[in-house]
Amino acid sequence: MMLIIIIFLVSCNKTKDTLAVNQVDIKIYLNQSGFDSEWPKRFTTSDLSDGTKFTLHASDNEKQLYEGIIKNSIGDFSDFQPKNANKEYFIKIGSVKSDIFRIAPYLMFYTSYKPALQFMIDSRSVIGTHNSAYGGCPWRDGTYYSFEMPSLVMLYLSNPNYFENIVPEINYDTDKKRVLSKDFRITDEPNDDEALETARKYYTDLETLIGDDVPDIIRLIHWGVGWYLLDPDSHDPSGDPKGNKIHDQTIEQFAFFLYGYPTYKKYIPEAFYKKALTFTIEQWKKTNLFDVKTEIGSFKGRETPGHSILPNLLMYEVAKREGLNEQRYLQAAIDQTNWIIDSLNLNDPISTKGQRMSEYKLYTSLTTFYNQFNELAPKSLKEYLDKYADIIISRSNNKWDFRKYNDSLWSIPRHGNKLPKSHPGWNEPGNIAAFPALAYELSHIVENKQKRKRLKTLAVSHFDNLFGRNPVSAHSANRGVQDYEGVERGWPKEYKKDVCARLELVRGTLSSSAATEHYVNGVKDDFRWPEGWVNFNAAFNVGLAYASLHNMQFEIQDNTGTNMQEIIFDKSYDVVFKAPVSLNNQQRTTLKVDLYNGEEFVSSITLKETEPGSSIYKSTLKFSLKSSTLPNTIQLEGDSNLSLKYGYGVFGKRLDIKVKRI
């Protein structure tokens, strides 16, 4: 009898797997490029029975390396962490195989940084890949509420070594010669009346950058600031009633440049910085940036509430550094935050995902206020952010690990309150691209461990969504196959060519995203507006910047590899830093981190990658009370509270160290 029961149970299990595999049209949706070694690794399937088996295989010999089961139409192989970063894999369910993908340290960053930067190079007005300036701003299709230059500052401050090591593409002299040629012309576009004149003045009237080996990202930051110094007034070409003027959100952008100036002053002349500082201070009050902003924007993302909070916090730091009246900036940030807490209903999605690609402006402001200026932040901010985290988690409980608009809609309403029914409907890749910034920031604030873990999983799942884990099973970029490593299918709907901002000529353009129709009905051909937008890619920059910040890791290890909270004099320790800085897997690279004693700079420390492509950097360090000529030995006068820093300020990484006598 016992034998019969065992055979029956085995038969039932076998039948369950066979039915799941043979009678269902199996689809496997995952990140086409691949997965970070230490991140959650999840994929979505068509509706399969819980317990259905999946396997993971090496792509070169199809050897099975891992086995797992499907639960709630999700496969999870997060605990599979191969050591070889150059191998490729695929998932198999029955006879169905997934796309081939890689698993490697910091893969998302190494896949995304380059096309993200190339987008900003190519989409420059006048001198990019098309002689046009749609909208009349520094980047084609830009406007006063787009976020190109600040997003570049965030990227650079979060990971300066990577962007300084990239071989530059921009040739200043070549661009200058081309633009100043009497034969150079631009096409006639909306709001571009002064664009050619502004571009020419950029090369003739402003202080040029210092040195020949200037990183592209610094040239881009200088370009954005320079353009707005020369022509600060603008007019959104997409039906905005505010008209042509100097907008508050344009002036806010200067705060990011001014804040980060100490890190790029070796490239950017002080006279240029002073010019930007003077202009910003003059315009701050004129554009009412000390006042509480009460407007709540629509699905366009034009007037997201709270957009002035982080700029005021950054200007608070700039004013302190410059010996100016800093309290008015701080008070403005406090007043605006209190208004948000008292007035903005988090349950109403127009306050969150309904802000399309601009939601991050508010919520990274609030999280930065709490994380970096905690003693100055309103006491009720923590409770407000906890509630925001709960809403995000509750709206993401689905097989895609995707944050929905509300209980019934997956994406923002198709036509909202502005678009005619003849329009294909709103697209929202910027919503998805910036979401990891919000999720990672909140994971640093909430105290419940399960909620922290879930937020980090959602941060990764939204990157995965951009790269193919969506019902269309396509990368957000129409040019995805040629621009993003490892992508098999780009966005299938192409926008018409040679109109508007000509982003079909731009590398890395995020085009569109799966919408409610795809999630609910499973349709593959009902596409919304497939045009990219510079604002979407700026949001992607922000998502990458905050994600890199939260995934870098400092450690001080003793000779047993134990992570130390306190260290003692005259003993050697390893400084270990994990970060996406390596440019290739063939040779070891180096990076520098800075050591501070309080606010006083002590020394730069060079760390070397342990193995090519490992993204783990290490150096031995010793502190002594005596003078020493030994390498990597630093003299201190007594017990000290030190800090290791990489990057800069609120966008950088920091580790505090206590050094004491035995």
Side-chain angles (χ1 to χ4, degrees):
M1 178 66 71
M2 182 64 71
L3 178 61
I4 294 173
I5 292 173
I6 291 173
I7 292 173
F8 175 75
L9 289 174
V10 171
S11 175
C12 286
N13 287 337
K14 183 178 180 181
T15 302
K16 178 181 177 183
D17 280 351
T18 302
L19 285 172
V21 171
N22 292 340
Q23 296 186 14
V24 177
D25 181 17
I26 298 172
K27 303 291 184 183
I28 302 173
Y29 307 89
L30 48 64
N31 186 319
Q32 298 174 51
S33 291
F35 302 87
D36 184 291
S37 303
E38 298 184 359
W39 279 7
K41 305 177 193 70
R42 291 159 72 88
F43 62 90
T44 297
T45 71
S46 44
D47 293 333
L48 300 177
S49 301
D50 282 2
T52 300
K53 183 176 73 173
F54 73 87
T55 52
L56 181 146
H57 302 256
S59 64
D60 55 355
N61 57 18
E62 300 203 4
K63 179 181 178 182
Q64 180 177 319
L65 303 174
Y66 183 91
E67 180 178 310
I69 60 171
I70 302 298
K71 184 177 180 181
N72 299 325
S73 299
I74 294 174
D76 191 323
F77 56 104
S78 302
D79 54 341
F80 179 70
Q81 298 184 1
K83 294 182 179 180
N84 190 333
N86 295 313
K87 281 192 172 294
E88 295 181 324
Y89 310 90
F90 64 85
I91 297 294
K92 191 174 182 181
I93 304 176
S95 61
V96 177
K97 298 179 182 179
S98 73
D99 295 316
I100 292 174
F101 56 85
R102 286 179 58 210
I103 300 174
Y106 296 110
L107 183 67
M108 176 53 60
F109 303 103
Y110 291 136
T111 303
S112 303
Y113 273 154
K114 188 175 181 180
L117 185 64
Q118 289 171 332
F119 175 91
M120 306 307 293
I121 294 171
D122 291 359
S123 61
R124 288 173 296 164
S125 290
V126 181
I127 59 171
T129 52
H130 193 268
N131 295 358
S132 61
Y134 186 93
C137 292
W139 281 270
R140 306 200 298 274
D141 219 3
T143 184
Y144 60 87
Y145 57 91
S146 54
F147 208 66
E148 306 93 335
M149 186 267 290
S151 76
L152 289 165
V153 172
M154 288 180 174
L155 267 184
Y156 179 74
L157 297 186
S158 67
N159 197 358
N161 270 60
Y162 178 88
F163 291 101
E164 289 191 350
N165 290 337
I166 294 178
V167 177
E169 293 186 18
I170 297 174
N171 188 307
Y172 176 87
D173 293 332
T174 299
D175 289 343
K176 178 179 180 179
K177 182 178 180 181
R178 182 163 66 97
V179 170
L180 295 183
S181 169
K182 60 182 177 59
D183 298 322
F184 184 81
R185 300 287 185 272
I186 65 172
T187 60
D188 185 19
E189 308 293 341
N191 301 349
D192 72 344
D193 295 344
E194 301 173 2
L196 180 55
E197 179 185 1
T198 300
R200 285 175 166 164
K201 284 183 177 180
Y202 173 82
Y203 290 101
T204 59
D205 293 9
L206 293 176
E207 295 81 3
T208 58
L209 293 165
I210 301 168
D212 298 324
D213 193 23
V214 179
D216 282 340
I217 196 167
I218 301 299
R219 289 198 181 279
L220 292 168
I221 292 168
H222 184 265
W223 167 259
V225 175
W227 183 291
Y228 280 133
L229 282 174
L230 295 166
D231 185 16
D233 56 333
S234 63
H235 183 191
D236 181 7
S238 58
D240 181 9
K242 292 184 180 293
N244 193 62
K245 64 178 183 178
I246 300 178
H247 295 270
D248 53 358
Q249 291 187 74
T250 298
I251 302 306
E252 287 173 0
Q253 296 187 40
F254 283 82
F256 294 83
F257 165 73
L258 297 172
Y259 175 75
Y261 179 69
T263 66
Y264 33 75
K265 65 181 180 181
K266 60 184 175 183
Y267 301 116
I268 297 180
E270 185 177 8
F272 183 88
Y273 165 75
K274 291 293 187 183
K275 191 175 294 184
L277 177 64
T278 300
F279 175 76
T280 304
I281 292 171
E282 289 175 352
Q283 292 295 327
W284 209 263
K285 186 173 182 178
K286 289 182 180 180
T287 54
N288 303 314
L289 281 168
F290 291 120
D291 299 342
V292 172
K293 308 281 185 178
T294 60
E295 185 173 1
I296 300 176
S298 65
F299 302 116
K300 183 69 177 175
R302 185 178 283 132
E303 291 288 349
T304 190
H307 58 74
S308 65
I309 296 172
L310 183 54
N312 266 303
L313 290 173
L314 298 182
M315 284 303 296
Y316 167 69
E317 291 295 312
V318 171
K320 282 199 299 182
R321 189 175 73 211
E322 295 292 337
L324 304 173
N325 177 10
E326 74 273 15
Q327 289 302 315
R328 54 183 179 170
Y329 298 102
L330 175 61
Q331 192 59 51
I334 293 172
D335 292 344
Q336 185 67 65
T337 300
N338 281 326
W339 182 87
I340 293 292
I341 294 170
D342 293 339
S343 307
L344 208 62
N345 179 9
L346 284 170
N347 288 306
D348 184 349
I350 197 63
S351 302
T352 54
K353 188 170 182 173
Q355 290 301 307
R356 207 177 177 196
M357 75 284 144
S358 298
E359 177 188 11
Y360 68 85
K361 289 187 180 181
L362 168 58
Y363 294 103
T364 56
S365 291
L366 296 180
T367 57
T368 301
F369 205 165
Y370 181 82
N371 285 331
Q372 307 288 345
F373 302 87
N374 187 269
E375 70 283 358
L376 303 173
K379 301 304 180 186
S380 55
L381 180 54
K382 173 68 162 59
E383 180 182 356
Y384 192 78
L385 291 173
D386 282 340
K387 182 179 179 181
Y388 177 50
D390 287 342
I391 290 172
I392 283 177
I393 291 171
S394 68
R395 289 180 180 165
S396 305
N397 185 25
N398 53 72
K399 74 176 189 177
W400 302 96
D401 293 322
F402 183 73
R403 190 265 302 252
K404 297 172 64 175
Y405 176 79
N406 59 20
D407 290 341
S408 58
L409 297 177
W410 290 74
S411 58
I412 58 176
R414 185 161 195 162
H415 295 95
N417 55 1
K418 294 290 183 182
L419 296 179
K421 293 297 181 181
S422 58
H423 192 284
W426 297 104
N427 63 346
E428 57 166 30
N431 244 340
I432 302 166
F435 179 84
L438 312 177
Y440 275 124
E441 282 284 276
L442 290 168
S443 73
H444 191 73
I445 294 172
V446 299
E447 296 173 3
N448 181 282
K449 290 183 179 179
Q450 290 303 313
K451 290 181 181 179
R452 284 186 174 185
K453 182 179 179 180
R454 182 60 177 159
L455 287 165
K456 291 177 181 179
T457 296
L458 294 176
V460 173
S461 69
H462 282 68
F463 279 137
D464 290 343
N465 184 287
L466 284 180
F467 278 70
R469 189 186 169 193
N470 58 66
V472 182
S473 192
H475 192 285
S476 171
N478 178 252
R479 292 171 45 118
V481 174
Q482 65 193 93
D483 294 346
Y484 290 86
E485 181 183 349
V487 171
E488 286 88 357
R489 292 173 306 283
W491 196 250
K493 183 69 172 179
E494 185 178 17
Y495 188 62
K496 53 190 175 183
K497 296 182 183 297
D498 200 28
V499 296
C500 193
R502 280 79 172 186
L503 294 184
E504 75 275 6
L505 304 174
V506 173
R507 294 169 292 178
T509 302
L510 299 182
S511 307
S512 197
S513 54
T516 298
E517 306 80 56
H518 304 110
Y519 288 98
V520 174
N521 303 321
V523 296
K524 300 293 187 290
D525 57 355
D526 185 12
F527 295 106
R528 298 190 181 188
W529 196 250
E531 182 189 13
W533 189 11
V534 69
N535 236 334
F536 297 153
N537 277 78
F540 190 33
N541 293 344
V542 174
L544 290 170
Y546 277 93
S548 66
L549 168 64
H550 283 274
N551 284 280
M552 294 176 181
Q553 184 177 344
F554 263 124
E555 288 184 358
I556 298 289
Q557 298 178 353
D558 64 10
N559 57 9
T560 68
T562 303
N563 188 25
M564 308 297 293
Q565 301 298 317
E566 295 182 347
I567 62 177
I568 60 176
F569 284 100
D570 297 318
K571 277 196 172 185
S572 294
Y573 297 88
D574 285 333
V575 177
V576 181
F577 187 48
K578 299 178 181 179
V581 177
S582 177
L583 293 178
N584 62 65
N585 293 330
Q586 306 304 317
Q587 63 185 48
R588 293 195 296 169
T589 56
T590 61
L591 66 77
K592 288 186 177 181
V593 298
D594 293 328
L595 181 68
Y596 283 80
N597 190 349
E599 297 299 317
E600 182 183 353
F601 174 76
V602 177
S603 176
S604 287
I605 303 167
T606 300
L607 311 182
K608 191 165 186 176
E609 199 172 13
T610 57
E611 295 178 11
S614 70
S615 298
I616 301 174
Y617 296 82
K618 185 180 291 188
S619 182
T620 301
L621 191 63
K622 180 187 290 187
F623 296 99
S624 178
L625 293 169
K626 303 175 183 178
S627 177
S628 175
T629 58
L630 294 175
N632 291 347
T633 299
I634 296 173
Q635 182 183 6
L636 297 173
E637 294 181 357
D639 293 1
S640 302
N641 293 319
L642 307 179
S643 298
L644 280 167
K645 297 181 181 181
Y646 177 74
Y648 183 75
V650 300
F651 305 114
K653 195 70 176 178
R654 169 178 175 157
L655 176 69
D656 293 328
I657 313 166
K658 290 184 178 181
V659 186
K660 64 179 185 178
R661 299 174 179 85
I662 297 177

